Amino acid sequence: MVSNIIQEALNKQIRIEAESSQIYLAMACWAEVKGLEGIATFMYTQSQEERDHMLKLIKFVNERGGHAKISQLDEPEIEFETIKSMFELLLKHEIFVSTSINELVDITLKEKDYATHNFLQWYVSEQIEEEAVARTILDKINMIGDDKGGLYLFDRDIQQLSVVSAASPQGGAV
Ligand code: FEO
């Protein structure tokens, strides 16, 4: 049984994961209309993964005697100056999500809810991987700079990154 404090904290995280999914969906659309197919594919996959993170939390709350709350969401940004600024936003957002997960873990310890604490360890690992992928992508973008040929290759390569990650033993944690 989840306590009210834990339920409230998990419901807050459910909303954050839902907003993450919308943020990446908006990024996918921006990339798609610009003809950046690889980046769009990466972002659609990312958006789907965030929805899965949300669903996993929802199931956990409901199965432990709580009631998952489906909240109204903030509208995501739909326009981006550059590919680089979009990925900078992605990294910033993932750092925000990691902070939120860490705070949630902290609450479970204070509440002595070890089952939820154990459940959240998957999210802790996932965040490490998501931040690492975002940093790797930004390193690549910084190396490419304004080179159009490099950008073409990057758009092709990032598509591979989605596929490779989805096929990884960790279950596609980009
Ligand atoms: Fe589910 Fe990328 O945080």
Side-chain angles (χ1 to χ4, degrees), residues 83-95:
I83 294 170
K84 184 180 168 182
S85 68
M86 184 173 74
F87 277 99
E88 279 170 348
L89 197 65
L90 182 145
L91 175 60
K92 199 171 144 209
H93 184 72
E94 286 305 327
I95 292 170

Side-chain angles (χ1 to χ4, degrees), residues 17 20 24 46 50 53 94 97 127 130:
E17 301 294 345
S20 303
Y24 301 143
Q46 185 75 18
E50 298 300 349
H53 297 173
E94 286 305 327
V97 176
Q127 282 313 119
E130 292 209 342

Side-chain angles (χ1 to χ4, degrees), residues 13 16-17 20-21 24 46 49-54 57 90 93-94 97-98 101 122-123 126-127 130-131 174:
Q13 192 62 35
I16 289 173
E17 301 294 345
S20 303
S21 181
Y24 301 143
Q46 185 75 18
E49 284 185 7
E50 298 300 349
R51 184 177 160 77
D52 291 343
H53 297 173
M54 174 194 73
L57 281 159
L90 182 145
H93 184 72
E94 286 305 327
V97 176
S98 298
I101 294 286
W122 182 84
Y123 286 84
E126 182 78 358
Q127 282 313 119
E130 292 209 342
E131 279 189 37
V174 283

Side-chain angles (χ1 to χ4, degrees), residues 4-22:
N4 283 341
I5 290 171
I6 295 292
Q7 174 170 286
E8 201 181 311
L10 288 170
N11 277 333
K12 191 173 148 240
Q13 192 62 35
I14 287 168
R15 181 182 169 178
I16 289 173
E17 301 294 345
E19 282 185 340
S20 303
S21 181
Q22 296 297 88

